[in-house]
Amino acid sequence: MANVIDQDQQWLLNCLSATLDPNPEVRNFAETSLNQASLQPGFGGALSRVAANRDLSLGLRQLAAVLLKQFIRKHWEGDEDVTVSVEEKGVIRRNLLASTDDSHRKICTAISMAIASIAAYDWPENWPELLPSLLTLIKDQSNMTRVQGALRCLALLSADLDDTVVPTLIPVLFPSLHTIVSSSQTYNMYLRSKALSIVYSCVSVIGVMSGVYKKETMALMAPMLKPWMDQFAIILGQPLQPEDPDDWSMRMEVLKCLNQLIQNFQTLAEGEFMIVVEPLWQTFVSAVGVYRRSSIDGADDSFEGNYDSDGADKSLDSFVIQLLEFLLTIVGSARLRKVVLSNVKQLVYHTVALLQMTEQQVHTWSMDANQFVADEDDETYSCRVSGALLLEEVINSCGVEGINAIIDATRERFSESQQEQAAGSAVWWRIREAALYALASVSDQLLEAEGSGGTNICLGKLIESLVAEDIIIGPHEYPFLCARVLTLVAKFSPVISHTVLQQFLYAAMKAVGMDVPPPVKVGACRALSQLLPEANREVVQPQLIGLLSSLTDLLQQASDETLHLVLETLQAAIKSGAEVTGPIESIISPVILNVWASHISDPFIGIDAIEVLESIKNAPGGIHPLVSRVLPHVGPILNKPREQPEGLVAGSLDLVTMLLKNAPMDVVMVLYDVCFDAVTRIVLQNDDHSELQNATQCLAAFISGGRQEVLAWAADSGFAMRSLLDVASRLLDPNLDSSGSLFVGNYILQLILHLPLQMAQHTPDLIAALVRRMQSAQIAGLRSSLIVLFARLVHMSAPNVEQFIDLLVSIPAADHDNAFVYVMSEWTKQQGIFTAPNMPISTEGITTRSKAKVTPEKWTVVPLPFKIASLLADTLLEMHEQVQFDDDEENEWEEIEEEDKDGDKDLLYSAAAGLSSGRATYDQLEAMAKVFDGDDEDDEELLSAGDPLNQINVASYLGDFFTKLWKEDRQLFNHLCQNLTQDQVQAIQTVVVHS
């Protein structure tokens, strides 16, 4: 084939042409021929000659370049099919480098990508001439196509630079790049932007390196900072122009570079930053005006959806988002925020203008309620979201000044909307909606500040004054403003008067049932989801049947994103009026079940629907009719799982599990009669992971709800017990995929908790099977759950823990001395990296690509007692930090730490240690206990109150443990403490009670 290609170049050209033929048979034959040819020597070189031949058509050359890139990625390093010779590699490199100055951008891009693919393997070691060649090209002012091609190559290469190349590359490359960026008369904006993108990539790599090589990177960047800052100031100094995407792109690259410099070299950048402050403000203020005319009003082209030939976004929105993100970096910087503090009011005022809905958003959201919900919920990439994040950072960093700035800007923009409305503007509502959106985006921070007395604004009166006139706004004329008002009131409901809340609650309930635009219904549902849980039931109940009926009707019209919102609202309505839900269960449940069945392949909608059904189940008189309605459908599904569409069996198992949760015994028995045997067979016979997981959880729920009765209800109790053990055996089979066994830990726990006598004789075999399953587990979640199960078994064996440990020691474990050694090694692995002051841990900082090749990650093995002491001390530290955070006692904790640092570091190592008093310690333990032992609805719901782990007060237990150890084995106590960090020692000090 090599000879054929060398002698008859036309053959390759014909094959390439044939791949573009409209006849599929011709295309397939050509593709097969090319695939076969790619296995022959010389094919890559032939492709490179075609790609470099400027006499050929653009399409053929581009196709050859793409195929060459694929060939390089697949065969360059050699494989069992193809070995690319040194000579052929040289031919390919030379042909590609000679083509970087091609005048066709698509060819230039394809060639550059092929060069970058080779460079990933060969550069710099096996292709040292690449960089000098590219540097020569970018300096050639007589040929801009060469400059363009070289910059494209460097841009692609710079995305994969590492610490071995960048330090030597920057001193050589940056002067040439600076010449390009600063020579606006010679180089066009595209080339200047491309040069800036290379600067950004290099600075990003140096920024990563600064975490390890701070002095070296600072020394490297220091002499270059001022000329670049001067150039950045020049670029940003001119007002932003409309309909100029090349200028927007160049400024965006400047902002990205500045962002990296400030984040990674703040000390250096601080001194030079004042040079760019005024130009940056000029860009920001002018950008607000351009954005308003282009994106908000739609008068000028915003170039939305426009990309350059390299795939970079050239839209105005993309630039403004980058600008807002850079401002967020400045505001968040302790060193630089002082620059904006004097102008924080103006910053916020202009930012609010950028929160306005664009013309495109109004059109899209009016036509598609799903997109409106998705964009609002998911916080998509947009100016509104970036602007809201900036406002949050203003409050976080500037405190009361930031809060006042946001309130003042809101009032001012609100006043402007009133003036525009009075003047007859058709879009007066946009700036008002933006002002209200600004308040809503920082509602949590504002409410927290008012609650702590950090501000005297009186939020409730402010919000009420802002929405007073909007309650009468027509939902058809201004649907988005109407929706925003409803959601704003809901967000600030804790500080709004009951009279106003009831007024808006009634308006929201009324809107759900009215013929109003979809955005209004969305806003009403959002408001109801927040207001109903706290609403006065006497006010709600007279309207509830109508609301439930309206929501049910709305549910049948909803789809995709809006389904989630309506289901969430329906759940809130059912919970707020549980007394009236029972009587209309026959109306609501069929609709919800239909939604569940028709969206069975969508797990999110399925979960939402089941949560609504669970609310119906928990309502007075709701469970029995619901179970009667569900069982006739799920029974046949579970009994013939192989005949069902995908997802229906797993969803039905979820549904049964929900019905079992906290159900009365008669309901558990009814569900048992219809479903238990079928669920057992699913575990024993199916291989579908989701079905195995859900069936395991369902059986655990049966055992938790039925307890000993699950055997008594069976026609043959012995057979039922054997079936349960067979389920355990299959789930613990090392050959079963780990995903299918994911919930076996909870299933085993239910067996042990509720069938202890039947399980006792199987304990040794069970432990051995658990160890084998742990060792074969391919996912960390399964190992973790089994470790927790072992922890529960240890506590359940008290006071005979030694016997349980002896049992573990007697059981073999592959590649370990015994099961005990294996289980403890796995347990400690889950707890993070243990760093002790006297142990040689690697401290080499960030691992870059080149460093990882020569310096593998280091780990230190420590004795188990030290590891356990460290983990317990870390638990104490975590509880201390949480208590201080919750109680706003950070300063007090810092004072304690300072006192400890100034005192004797060996305080705990002496019998004469001045320990805190017992009462003070236990007061703190009480607070810590509330942190770790409070009610948590998200805990494993099937665990009974008798579960040993649920009985432990962790804070008190650790205090007692360390106190007892200190009293009874001082030598061991001191020995363990010597291997802890000072913070860990101080944490233990606070809980050890002086005898």
Side-chain angles (χ1 to χ4, degrees):
M1 182 61 67
N3 293 334
V4 172
I5 293 177
D6 289 340
Q7 295 173 3
D8 190 4
Q9 188 76 26
Q10 192 61 45
W11 179 90
L12 179 59
L13 297 177
N14 289 341
C15 281
L16 292 174
S17 299
T19 62
L20 305 176
D21 194 284
N23 188 326
E25 293 183 357
V26 174
R27 288 200 309 270
N28 291 338
F29 178 79
E31 290 169 2
T32 301
S33 299
L34 286 171
N35 286 334
Q36 293 174 348
S38 69
L39 303 179
Q40 303 300 318
F43 182 74
L47 283 175
S48 70
R49 286 190 290 273
V50 173
N53 191 337
R54 305 186 190 199
D55 294 331
L56 298 175
S57 69
L58 178 63
L60 286 180
R61 295 179 62 203
Q62 188 175 1
L63 177 58
V66 171
L67 290 176
L68 179 59
K69 177 186 169 185
Q70 295 173 355
F71 175 84
I72 292 166
R73 289 186 174 178
K74 188 174 181 180
H75 301 302
W76 194 260
E77 289 284 81
D79 54 34
E80 60 184 14
D81 297 323
V82 177
T83 299
V84 186
S85 68
V86 174
E87 293 76 14
E88 185 178 3
K89 287 183 176 181
V91 169
I92 294 172
R93 294 193 200 102
R94 287 192 297 273
N95 286 335
L96 290 177
L97 269 180
S99 303
T100 54
D101 63 343
D102 199 285
S103 58
H104 295 287
R105 281 196 175 185
K106 290 184 178 181
I107 291 292
C108 189
T109 299
I111 294 291
S112 298
M113 293 177 72
I115 290 175
S117 297
I118 297 175
Y121 299 111
D122 290 2
W123 182 60
E125 293 87 354
N126 298 323
W127 200 2
E129 67 271 22
L130 173 61
L131 187 58
S133 299
L134 294 177
L135 289 175
T136 299
L137 291 174
I138 66 172
K139 293 177 182 179
D140 186 358
Q141 296 187 4
S142 65
N143 191 332
M144 287 298 124
T145 57
R146 289 186 174 182
V147 177
Q148 176 179 300
L151 286 174
R152 285 187 177 219
C153 280
L154 285 168
L156 290 169
L157 291 174
S158 64
D160 196 35
L161 295 174
D162 65 16
D163 61 321
T164 62
V165 177
V166 172
T168 55
L169 175 63
I170 284 182
V172 179
L173 179 61
F174 270 33
S176 298
L177 296 178
H178 187 273
T179 299
I180 293 173
V181 174
S182 60
S183 304
S184 58
Q185 301 302 317
T186 305
Y187 301 94
N188 61 34
M189 285 187 180
Y190 171 81
L191 295 179
R192 295 167 70 199
S193 297
K194 193 59 64 179
L196 284 167
S197 72
I198 299 169
V199 173
Y200 166 74
S201 295
C202 292
V203 172
S204 298
V205 175
I206 293 294
V208 173
M209 291 175 59
S210 66
V212 183
Y213 308 108
K214 186 173 182 180
K215 290 183 179 179
E216 293 85 348
T217 54
M218 294 278 277
L220 179 65
M221 294 302 301
M224 303 181 185
L225 199 60
K226 188 177 188 313
W228 279 109
M229 284 292 198
D230 289 340
Q231 193 56 45
F232 294 159
I234 292 171
I235 294 173
L236 297 176
Q238 298 299 315
L240 193 76
Q241 297 301 312
E243 300 186 333
D244 193 350
D246 290 335
D247 178 54
W248 304 340
S249 297
M250 185 169 63
R251 290 176 192 250
M252 185 157 64
E253 294 298 335
V254 167
L255 295 174
K256 289 164 62 178
C257 292
L258 283 170
N259 220 356
Q260 281 295 316
L261 290 170
I262 287 176
Q263 288 180 5
N264 298 305
F265 303 99
Q266 201 167 114
T267 304
L268 285 176
E270 183 183 11
E272 302 294 338
F273 184 68
M274 293 307 298
I275 299 173
V276 301
V277 170
E278 186 61 34
L280 176 64
W281 185 254
Q282 176 74 21
T283 288
F284 176 60
V285 174
S286 60
V288 174
V290 172
Y291 184 77
R292 182 163 192 166
R293 290 193 303 275
S294 302
S295 296
I296 298 173
D297 296 340
D300 295 329
D301 192 348
S302 67
F303 289 83
E304 183 176 351
N306 272 34
Y307 298 86
D308 65 18
S309 58
D310 299 327
D313 191 343
K314 298 183 65 174
S315 68
L316 178 61
D317 276 42
S318 181
F319 165 70
V320 174
I321 289 169
Q322 185 64 57
L323 177 58
L324 289 168
E325 289 180 356
F326 179 55
L327 290 170
L328 188 149
T329 299
I330 296 173
V331 173
S333 166
R335 291 177 178 271
L336 299 179
R337 77 172 61 114
K338 59 187 177 184
V339 175
V340 300
L341 271 177
S342 58
N343 290 303
V344 68
K345 289 189 176 181
Q346 284 297 304
L347 173 66
V348 171
Y349 174 79
H350 289 302
T351 300
V352 172
L354 296 174
L355 302 183
Q356 294 178 83
M357 292 183 183
T358 66
E359 185 71 18
Q360 182 62 45
Q361 285 171 335
V362 171
H363 174 74
T364 301
W365 293 345
S366 297
M367 300 294 292
D368 187 352
N370 285 310
Q371 193 63 49
F372 178 48
V373 174
D375 290 345
E376 290 270 301
D377 282 349
D378 297 340
E379 295 191 344
T380 51
Y381 184 75
S382 68
C383 289
R384 276 167 74 89
V385 172
S386 296
L389 292 174
L390 176 58
L391 296 182
E392 289 181 27
E393 190 59 45
V394 165
I395 293 181
N396 291 338
S397 299
C398 304
V400 175
E401 290 185 60
I403 291 174
N404 290 336
I406 290 174
I407 298 301
D408 290 346
T410 298
R411 286 172 169 157
E412 192 169 351
R413 290 298 189 181
F414 190 88
S415 176
E416 290 173 8
S417 75
Q418 291 176 315
Q419 295 170 17
E420 290 182 19
Q421 184 182 17
S425 170
V427 294
W428 63 269
W429 61 270
R430 286 186 180 175
I431 193 64
R432 181 178 299 188
E433 190 276 340
L436 300 183
Y437 175 77
L439 284 179
S441 67
V442 293
S443 59
D444 291 341
Q445 293 161 294
L446 293 177
L447 288 170
E448 182 180 353
E450 177 146 309
S452 63
T455 178
N456 56 359
I457 293 173
C458 193
L459 278 175
K461 291 184 178 179
L462 171 66
I463 301 300
E464 290 177 22
S465 66
L466 293 177
V467 302
E469 60 186 75
D470 292 335
I471 189 65
I472 60 172
I473 285 179
H476 291 277
E477 292 81 5
Y478 309 107
F480 292 105
L481 178 58
C482 184
R484 182 62 56 204
V485 169
L486 290 171
T487 55
L488 180 76
V489 170
K491 279 185 172 290
F492 286 96
S493 59
V495 294
I496 294 178
S497 68
H498 291 296
T499 302
V500 174
L501 279 181
Q502 290 179 17
Q503 186 179 14
F504 278 91
L505 177 63
Y506 177 75
M509 289 192 290
K510 184 179 178 182
V512 170
M514 291 174 59
D515 180 19
V516 294
V520 179
K521 290 185 182 287
V522 168
C525 285
R526 290 188 192 282
L528 290 171
S529 296
Q530 290 186 268
L531 293 175
L532 284 172
E534 304 297 328
N536 186 328
R537 293 201 170 192
E538 295 180 358
V539 175
V540 172
Q541 286 194 357
Q543 312 293 329
L544 199 60
I545 292 181
L547 175 62
L548 290 171
S549 178
S550 297
L551 286 170
T552 303
D553 292 340
L554 188 59
L555 196 62
Q556 298 179 72
Q557 306 167 21
S559 60
D560 300 333
E561 299 291 342
T562 52
L563 259 180
H564 167 77
L565 179 60
V566 178
L567 287 169
E568 181 183 24
T569 310
L570 192 55
Q571 184 181 9
I574 292 169
K575 287 183 176 180
S576 68
E579 294 81 2
V580 302
T581 301
I584 62 170
E585 180 275 337
S586 60
I587 299 174
I588 303 175
S589 295
V591 176
I592 304 299
L593 286 168
N594 183 60
V595 169
W596 170 80
S598 58
H599 293 81
I600 198 66
S601 60
D602 186 333
F604 299 104
I605 296 298
I607 290 171
D608 290 339
I610 287 180
E611 288 179 350
V612 176
L613 292 171
E614 185 172 17
S615 299
I616 296 173
K617 181 200 79 171
N618 295 334
I623 187 168
H624 290 91
L626 181 60
V627 170
S628 299
R629 189 178 308 282
V630 168
L631 272 184
H633 299 285
V634 299
I637 292 171
L638 298 180
N639 275 287
K640 295 182 179 180
R642 300 185 187 280
E643 300 178 9
Q644 309 307 323
E646 184 178 357
L648 187 57
V649 174
S652 298
L653 289 164
D654 267 344
L655 194 55
V656 174
T657 302
M658 178 274 292
L659 294 172
L660 285 166
K661 192 192 312 178
N662 301 320
M665 193 63 75
D666 64 317
V667 169
V668 177
M669 183 175 68
V670 171
L671 291 167
Y672 179 94
D673 289 341
V674 175
C675 303
F676 183 81
D677 289 342
V679 176
T680 302
R681 286 194 298 273
I682 288 173
V683 178
L684 296 177
Q685 299 173 8
N686 281 27
D687 294 319
D688 182 274
H689 296 167
S690 60
E691 292 178 13
L692 281 171
Q693 291 174 7
N694 292 6
T696 304
Q697 291 179 303
C698 190
L699 287 177
F702 269 119
I703 299 167
S704 176
R707 309 193 178 199
Q708 292 283 340
E709 298 302 316
V710 295
L711 302 181
W713 291 331
D716 183 342
S717 62
F719 177 79
M721 188 65 212
R722 285 193 300 275
S723 296
L724 293 174
L725 291 173
D726 288 343
V727 166
S729 178
R730 174 149 204 242
L731 295 173
L732 294 175
D733 184 351
N735 297 318
L736 182 65
D737 190 277
S738 295
S739 181
S741 300
L742 189 59
F743 299 114
V744 65
N746 187 45
Y747 172 72
I748 299 293
L749 178 61
Q750 300 309 315
L751 288 175
I752 295 170
L753 286 174
H754 303 302
L755 302 173
L757 295 178
Q758 293 85 349
M759 292 298 296
Q761 58 183 311
H762 302 288
T763 299
D765 292 337
L766 177 62
I767 298 300
L770 286 169
V771 171
R772 288 193 298 270
R773 178 72 275 196
M774 276 182 64
Q775 290 195 297
S776 65
Q778 299 149 338
I779 53 178
L782 176 57
R783 281 194 298 273
S784 299
S785 68
L786 295 181
I787 287 170
V788 172
L789 177 58
F790 272 110
R792 296 184 185 280
L793 292 173
V794 170
H795 284 275
M796 292 169 69
S797 66
N800 302 311
V801 177
E802 293 83 356
Q803 294 180 14
F804 183 77
I805 294 176
D806 290 342
L807 175 60
L808 282 174
V809 171
S810 69
I811 295 174
D815 301 324
H816 291 80
D817 293 343
N818 52 61
F820 177 72
V821 173
Y822 169 68
V823 170
M824 294 310 296
S825 67
E826 285 298 317
W827 175 64
T828 53
K829 282 179 188 177
Q830 304 289 328
Q831 306 299 321
I833 299 173
F834 170 41
T835 55
N838 301 323
M839 297 182 183
I841 302 292
S842 172
T843 57
E844 298 181 9
I846 298 171
T847 302
T848 56
R849 185 179 64 178
S850 59
K851 189 186 300 180
K853 295 178 181 177
V854 295
T855 310
E857 202 168 17
K858 296 180 180 179
W859 297 87
T860 298
V861 177
V862 299
L864 181 60
F866 294 160
K867 179 70 176 183
I868 292 175
S870 169
L871 296 174
L872 295 179
D874 285 340
T875 301
L876 285 173
L877 274 173
E878 183 183 348
M879 287 191 287
H880 278 304
E881 291 168 359
Q882 185 64 48
V883 169
Q884 274 109 37
F885 178 80
D886 290 344
D887 297 340
D888 198 25
E889 295 177 353
E890 291 89 344
N891 292 333
E892 179 182 341
W893 182 241
E894 290 170 3
E895 291 171 5
I896 294 173
E897 288 185 329
E898 291 301 322
E899 291 170 7
D900 291 339
K901 291 176 184 177
D902 295 338
D904 185 358
K905 292 183 179 179
D906 296 325
L907 186 63
L908 286 176
Y909 310 148
S910 168
L915 301 174
S916 58
S917 68
R919 181 171 183 79
T921 298
Y922 282 114
D923 285 345
Q924 191 166 18
L925 286 176
E926 184 71 20
M928 291 159 63
K930 291 178 181 178
V931 172
F932 266 61
D933 300 303
D935 293 334
D936 187 353
E937 293 181 358
D938 295 328
D939 285 341
E940 296 178 15
E941 296 166 340
L942 298 177
L943 298 182
S944 68
D947 182 1
L949 286 190
N950 286 353
Q951 303 300 311
I952 297 174
N953 181 311
V954 178
S956 296
Y957 179 87
L958 291 180
D960 293 342
F961 168 77
F962 281 116
T963 299
K964 183 178 180 181
L965 183 62
W966 185 76
K967 289 179 179 179
E968 297 181 1
D969 197 336
R970 189 72 54 84
Q971 183 178 0
L972 175 60
F973 181 87
N974 291 342
H975 183 57
L976 292 175
C977 287
Q978 287 171 354
N979 289 279
L980 301 178
T981 66
Q982 185 168 337
D983 286 343
Q984 291 171 331
V985 171
Q986 290 169 354
I988 295 174
Q989 175 189 341
T990 63
V991 298
V992 173
V993 181
H994 185 54
S995 59

